[in-house]
Amino acid sequence: MATLRERKTYRAQVLRVLYEAVEGNRLLGITGAQLRSDLRIPEQDLAAACTYLAGEGLITVDWDPGNTPAMVTLTHEGIRHMEAEEEEEEGAV
């Protein structure tokens, strides 16, 4: 079981990889297999991160049997969240 810090890190990583992969276009998505490959995190932790982020309205997830993300996409709110984060990072430099 992942610690709270690990769970928060996984969530942030999922959002970052997804945002970079789809270049802010909410019509594009990434497969769960690609996310697992890019992030190298345990499958159950990826599923938990996706469930959490979907609950927050930041992503949508199409699920395969066995609670495995098949396709993950950013929502409009997810894009806004990532753009705000990007603006904060640019302002900090």
Side-chain angles (χ1 to χ4, degrees):
M1 178 100 164
T3 65
L4 176 59
R5 177 181 222 151
E6 289 170 329
R7 290 192 307 268
K8 286 182 174 186
T9 299
Y10 294 155
R11 294 172 198 155
Q13 289 174 334
V14 167
L15 284 175
R16 173 65 56 200
V17 166
L18 186 57
Y19 181 68
E20 290 173 358
V22 302
E23 298 177 349
N25 184 341
R26 70 185 189 100
L27 299 177
L28 300 176
I30 188 170
T31 65
Q34 185 64 47
L35 270 176
R36 275 191 310 279
S37 173
D38 289 350
L39 298 175
R40 300 173 196 251
I41 63 175
E43 191 170 324
Q44 71 182 35
D45 291 327
L46 176 61
C50 288
T51 299
Y52 181 91
L53 294 169
E56 292 293 306
L58 300 175
I59 66 171
T60 57
V61 183
D62 294 327
W63 296 96
D64 274 342
N67 201 27
T68 302
M71 180 62 69
V72 184
T73 55
L74 279 172
T75 62
H76 180 74
E77 189 60 35
I79 292 170
R80 290 179 46 156
H81 174 84
M82 293 306 296
E83 287 175 346
E85 190 174 287
E86 192 172 17
E87 286 175 343
E88 285 179 22
E89 289 172 1
E90 289 174 1
V93 174

